[in-house]
Amino acid sequence: RSPGPLPVTFLLICHLSTLPAKQTNHNNFKAMGKPILTYFPFGGRAEATRIAFFYGDVDFEDKRITFQEFGVQKAEGKFPLGSLPVLEVDGKLAAQSVACCRYAGKLGKTYPTNEADALFVDMIMETLEECLSKLPFGGDDLKEKREKFATDCLPKFMTPLNKIAADNSANGFMVGNSLSTADIMVYTNVRFMASGNLDHLDKDYIQKNQPALFAVYEKVAALDKIKAFNAKFNPPKDA
């Protein structure tokens, strides 16, 4: 006995399953509204994102909150991972400083469109962030921990980055021949470590031990757009 005619609903489902899925165009990278970057009232892990927005002439809101405000909002569950920075894009909150910086770099054209260059920019950014995440804060044994950080962690992460900088020294940047988010993060991280605000850590460590990396920092610091950023976002305290 042969089966009867197949139901129309079944035939329609079979037809629809053979249609090509709608493709998402990932090349048209464009934000719908003004990004809102929330962080504390200092540079820290949000500074590279601020610079990437500013350098690329991307209009954004630089929202700075106190530690007390952070505590209240964290208790309310406002932040996706319970930490800062967070970046609000089209009403949605995203976390992780490297992800925020990469997004700002894409909008501001300082993140490479070439896949190979993007790979190495990502590697540099992630390495810097991993190194910074291991920097000890607080505790009675802070001096011992900072000294161990300087002898173990800094050479492990910074020496390979110094080699990358040295290999590309003819161009003056970490990757390629123009400023990228990797250079911006080198600038913010070296500036932080050379600030003199970190007890038990030689502020001249990078300059003494990773000269090619320090040269990238100096090149970025000398750019007119970076000077303009600092004048606007980091004016002298006595001004």
Side-chain angles (χ1 to χ4, degrees):
R1 178 181 174 183
S2 62
L6 295 173
V8 173
T9 303
F10 176 78
L11 294 174
L12 180 60
I13 292 174
C14 291
H15 170 68
L16 291 175
S17 68
T18 63
L19 294 178
K22 183 179 179 180
Q23 298 296 310
T24 301
N25 188 348
H26 294 287
N27 296 321
N28 296 330
F29 193 87
K30 181 179 173 183
M32 298 295 292
K34 179 194 289 190
I36 302 173
L37 179 64
T38 302
Y39 195 64
F40 303 110
F42 50 81
R45 283 183 161 91
E47 193 77 338
T49 301
R50 291 178 184 136
I51 292 175
F53 277 137
F54 182 84
Y55 196 91
D57 297 319
V58 178
D59 187 24
F60 77 104
E61 181 179 338
D62 181 32
K63 186 176 181 181
R64 305 190 181 202
I65 64 175
T66 65
F67 285 105
Q68 183 178 5
E69 290 171 326
F70 167 72
V72 172
Q73 294 178 40
K74 179 180 178 179
E76 295 172 348
K78 181 171 182 179
F79 307 120
L81 299 178
S83 61
L84 294 179
V86 294
L87 186 62
E88 182 177 336
V89 178
D90 302 332
K92 297 180 180 179
L93 293 177
Q96 297 289 16
S97 57
V98 172
C100 293
C101 183
R102 185 182 298 114
Y103 176 82
K106 287 181 178 181
L107 290 185
K109 312 301 182 186
T110 53
Y111 184 80
T113 55
N114 175 280
E115 289 82 359
D117 285 349
L119 171 65
F120 285 97
V121 164
D122 282 345
M123 181 188 75
I124 293 165
M125 294 169 68
E126 297 288 357
T127 300
L128 287 165
E129 179 62 21
E130 185 175 354
C131 180
L132 182 61
S133 71
K134 296 183 182 300
L135 177 64
F137 288 95
D140 295 334
D141 56 348
L142 180 62
K143 183 177 185 295
E144 180 183 342
K145 288 179 178 177
R146 287 272 171 88
E147 289 174 348
K148 183 173 177 60
F149 174 79
T151 57
D152 295 349
C153 285
L154 283 180
K156 174 183 177 181
F157 293 106
M158 295 302 175
T159 301
L161 295 185
N162 186 69
K163 185 179 186 307
I164 292 173
D167 289 345
N168 198 47
S169 60
N171 292 318
F173 297 101
M174 294 299 292
V175 178
N177 58 8
S178 62
L179 184 87
S180 73
T181 48
D183 303 298
I184 293 173
M185 281 196 65
V186 165
Y187 169 72
T188 57
N189 278 262
V190 173
R191 187 184 71 177
F192 175 58
M193 286 187 284
S195 66
N197 296 326
L198 296 171
D199 293 336
H200 316 301
L201 194 64
D202 182 4
K203 67 183 183 63
D204 297 321
Y205 176 88
I206 301 296
Q207 185 175 6
K208 292 175 181 176
N209 297 281
Q210 282 87 31
L213 197 63
F214 192 78
V216 172
Y217 159 76
E218 290 186 308
K219 183 177 181 70
V220 175
L223 295 173
D224 289 340
K225 203 69 180 282
I226 299 300
K227 293 178 180 178
F229 170 85
N230 287 321
K232 179 176 180 179
F233 290 89
N234 302 311
K237 291 182 171 58
D238 58 352

